[in-house]
Amino acid sequence: MTDATPSSGGYVFKPHERPFLAGSPANPDHPTRRKAGYLLIGIYLAVLGGFQNGLLLANLTSLQGHLALTPVESGWVTVAYNMTNACMSILLFKMRQQFGIQRFVRVAMGALLLANFVQLFDAGYQIELVSRGISGIAASCLSTLGIYYLMQGLPPKARIAGVLIGLGLSQIALPLARAISPALVAGGDITHLFDLQFALSLVAFGSVFILPLPPGEIEKAFEKLDLVTFPLLATGMALLCTFLVQGRIQWWTTPWLGWALAGAMVMIGAAFLIEHNRANPMLHTRWMTSKNILIFAVTGALMRVLLSEQGFGAGGLLATVGMINDQLVTYYWIITGATLLGLVVLIVRLDVSDLQRPLLVALALIAVAAFIDTRAGLLSRPENFYWTQAMMAFAAIYFIGSAMMEGLLRALARGMDYIISFIAVFSLSQTLGGLAGVAGLAAFQTIRTKVHLMEIGRELSLTDPAVAQAIQQRAAAYNATMADPVLRQASGAGQLIQQAGRDAAILAFNDMFFLIGVIASIAFAVLLANWLYNRARGIKPLAKELEALAAIMGGAKE
């Protein structure tokens, strides 16, 4: 059935123009000017999709101060975004199939406008939670729309590159948001940030209605059991996101976090159990738990954990030594440029017959960068991290594009109804891997900080002449403001303890960099051995999938 829309104008699509999949737009032969329009809008939407989350992450501290939030409340803002973004792509895929691409566009633009409109009124914490939850849905919609628009603007042979470009641009938006954020919140006024987000959403809204996507085909997609499975899965993912975010804030021994984790396991397990026994499942659990897909999911999640070195590791260390956002603008511009370079190299060098090579390159870059960063100290500044974090940024985009391509090929080779399962595996491994990476590294860094602080504390003794002299030097700074010598002495000792805490934190970050380097090196060695074995034996891991996909495409053309 065709997705009826006034834009179709009664035009009958040629066989090669028909949509490849129900719920996606058709691919008519556009004139050059219209192709250029689709391409520009696609680039804008793809960047905007990542920009929503990027602005949140970059300005979470400013938002916390603006709304007078506690760290726990600030954590709930992060949870609100991730819990809706984590698995909405599954529901949205079925919605496009059932109701058509045009209704999907209206929902996407409505969610985007609503999320950014309510923030204009600065209505407080509860409204901010709702807004961020809607933003998670809108970001998932925008990423898909960006890819569809890019594919309309590219020639037929290059349309698969639209998927990679859309995914890559959403990644570029994250450091880009951090690079421009200091200018937006200059003077501490975060309302300019809300104004920008709403203005950007208005431009997106106008663009998609000035140049709408071609209509597609629709089919019955939803079944009654979907109304049971999806709420179970979404609730379980929300609880898991809560556990990962609030665990590092309230610490893992907080009793209710255990109940949240248990509830997440029960909910997700129940959803998978239902899907496993369905005649026409939404999620193909047997395929999702097969050896190749499990390796794909674990590898993807592990890479997100390792790549957390950039946001939590280097960013956290720079914050520890006193760097603020205004001093990191050049740093984030360099990361943005390296991410863009990684996207270009990925597209130019992509070889679907050897998708393990980009992963090898990414792991090698991560290992080298992490080991170099272990030399960080109290005098480290952003310029000391330019090369290493550029390597990390390049690795992030170079890996994620090839990983997504591998999963997509494996799903398409099994049939169109496996796309939802691929979306679930890919999006959940990336979202949860990112959250778990920050949570795990934060726990490791906290524990190592305490260990180093105890070691430093054992060396600090008032009977030690060097320690006594250090306290006296710091106490002397208060001579003009404090008349009481005892109070000056206590203040000097407090400063010495603060310095010991910073030293311990920096040593813990170095331990974390070393751990990441070791894990990346081990993963690189294992993957390299497998890659060399396949090369020596002439084994092509995706040969069967590529043959099956070629047969499907050949049948579709006929």
Side-chain angles (χ1 to χ4, degrees):
M1 183 183 296
T2 302
D3 177 15
T5 174
S7 64
S8 60
Y11 177 79
V12 179
F13 294 113
K14 304 178 185 70
H16 72 278
E17 295 177 333
R18 295 181 69 83
F20 185 61
L21 185 67
S24 61
N27 298 289
D29 299 323
H30 300 294
T32 303
R33 289 182 61 185
R34 191 185 301 163
K35 279 187 177 182
Y38 277 123
L39 199 60
L40 291 174
I41 294 174
I43 292 171
Y44 180 78
L45 293 177
V47 173
L48 185 59
F51 213 59
Q52 297 286 307
N53 187 35
L55 290 174
L56 168 63
L57 295 176
N59 298 283
L60 196 56
T61 303
S62 299
L63 180 67
Q64 183 177 334
H66 178 73
L67 296 177
L69 305 180
T70 65
V72 172
E73 290 172 327
S74 180
W76 283 115
V77 175
T78 303
V79 171
Y81 178 91
N82 284 285
M83 66 187 284
T84 55
N85 184 255
C87 54
M88 273 307 296
S89 52
I90 301 171
L91 183 64
L92 293 172
F93 183 88
K94 283 217 161 191
M95 177 185 153
R96 292 195 301 273
Q97 289 185 311
Q98 180 90 23
F99 302 108
I101 189 67
Q102 303 302 332
R103 291 180 181 176
F104 170 75
V105 171
R106 289 194 285 272
V107 169
M109 291 299 104
L112 181 65
L113 279 177
L114 179 61
N116 293 322
F117 179 71
V118 297
Q119 287 186 310
L120 294 177
F121 299 98
D122 200 13
Y125 174 55
Q126 286 75 19
I127 295 298
E128 182 65 25
L129 285 176
V130 174
S131 174
R132 291 304 173 181
I134 300 172
S135 293
I137 300 172
S140 184
C141 294
L142 285 172
S143 299
T144 303
L145 276 180
I147 290 172
Y148 281 151
Y149 269 88
L150 286 166
M151 294 177 76
Q152 294 293 321
L154 292 171
K157 292 183 178 180
R159 277 178 185 150
I160 193 65
V163 180
L164 299 176
I165 295 172
L167 182 66
L169 290 175
S170 66
Q171 299 296 310
I172 292 171
L174 299 176
L176 179 62
R178 290 186 179 274
I180 69 171
S181 286
L184 293 174
V185 296
D189 187 2
I190 200 173
T191 57
H192 296 310
L193 176 67
F194 300 149
D195 294 339
L196 175 65
Q197 286 184 304
F198 185 63
L200 293 174
S201 63
L202 282 176
V203 173
F205 182 86
S207 299
V208 300
F209 283 101
I210 290 173
L211 185 58
L213 288 169
E217 295 178 344
I218 60 176
E219 64 182 18
K220 179 174 171 49
F222 285 105
E223 297 183 1
K224 291 181 180 179
L225 273 178
D226 293 339
L227 302 177
V228 178
T229 299
F230 184 79
L232 284 172
L233 183 62
T235 304
M237 293 308 303
L239 290 172
L240 195 52
C241 289
T242 299
F243 172 79
L244 292 173
V245 172
Q246 291 292 355
R248 65 186 178 91
I249 298 174
Q250 302 189 42
W251 202 242
W252 309 99
T253 54
T254 304
W256 71 266
L257 287 173
W259 288 107
L261 179 61
M265 295 299 101
V266 170
M267 294 285 188
I268 295 173
F272 273 70
L273 183 63
I274 293 172
E275 291 298 299
H276 192 75
N277 292 286
R278 284 178 66 175
N280 185 27
M282 178 174 66
L283 300 175
H284 293 269
T285 55
R286 290 174 178 82
W287 179 77
M288 293 171 68
T289 55
S290 64
K291 177 184 174 181
N292 288 331
I293 301 305
L294 285 177
I295 292 174
F296 165 76
V298 171
T299 303
L302 175 63
M303 289 295 291
R304 296 314 306 178
V305 171
L306 296 176
L307 290 166
S308 298
E309 192 263 18
Q310 184 164 80
F312 176 78
L317 189 144
L318 289 171
T320 300
V321 298
M323 297 292 101
I324 59 176
N325 287 341
D326 290 4
Q327 298 167 294
L328 300 175
V329 172
T330 303
Y331 170 79
Y332 282 116
W333 276 116
I334 289 173
I335 292 177
T336 302
T339 307
L340 181 60
L341 177 63
L343 175 60
V344 172
V345 174
L346 169 67
I347 294 171
V348 172
R349 298 288 298 168
L350 185 68
D351 180 4
V352 293
S353 65
D354 188 7
L355 292 175
Q356 284 190 330
R357 184 178 297 178
L359 183 55
L360 280 169
V361 173
L363 284 170
L365 290 174
I366 292 171
V368 171
F371 283 132
I372 293 175
D373 284 344
T374 58
R375 301 180 299 178
L378 188 61
L379 298 179
S380 293
R381 293 297 179 264
E383 52 267 26
N384 300 120
F385 293 91
Y386 285 169
W387 281 105
T388 57
Q389 295 312 303
M391 291 163 66
M392 282 282 183
F394 184 96
I397 192 65
Y398 201 52
F399 136 75
I400 197 171
S402 61
M404 188 211 63
M405 186 60 63
E406 178 186 345
L408 185 59
L409 288 174
R410 291 190 185 279
L412 288 173
R414 294 296 298 266
M416 297 303 149
D417 55 339
Y418 282 76
I419 296 296
I420 294 182
S421 300
F422 157 70
I423 292 172
V425 172
F426 184 75
S427 61
L428 295 182
S429 69
Q430 295 303 296
T431 300
L432 296 181
L435 292 177
V438 174
L441 294 180
F444 178 82
Q445 196 270 343
T446 300
I447 293 170
R448 293 302 299 169
T449 297
K450 292 179 180 179
V451 171
H452 285 298
L453 192 56
M454 287 189 292
E455 292 175 352
I456 294 173
R458 284 196 292 267
E459 298 175 2
L460 295 178
S461 172
L462 293 177
T463 59
D464 187 336
V467 174
Q469 183 181 5
I471 293 175
Q472 289 297 331
Q473 289 174 345
R474 286 161 176 76
Y478 296 96
N479 287 340
T481 56
M482 293 183 185
D484 189 341
V486 176
L487 188 58
R488 288 200 302 269
Q489 190 82 355
S491 298
Q495 278 203 349
L496 185 63
I497 293 172
Q498 287 180 352
Q499 182 178 335
R502 283 195 299 271
D503 291 342
I506 292 170
L507 290 172
F509 275 116
N510 287 336
D511 291 343
M512 186 190 70
F513 295 146
F514 182 77
L515 175 66
I516 290 172
V518 169
I519 295 174
S521 298
I522 294 172
F524 174 81
V526 172
L527 188 64
L528 179 62
N530 180 259
W531 184 76
L532 291 174
Y533 177 83
N534 288 340
R535 297 270 294 185
R537 296 296 184 92
I539 300 173
K540 295 183 178 180
L542 290 172
K544 293 181 179 179
E545 284 77 8
L546 290 172
E547 289 177 5
L549 185 58
I552 292 173
M553 296 293 290
K557 289 179 181 179
E558 294 173 5

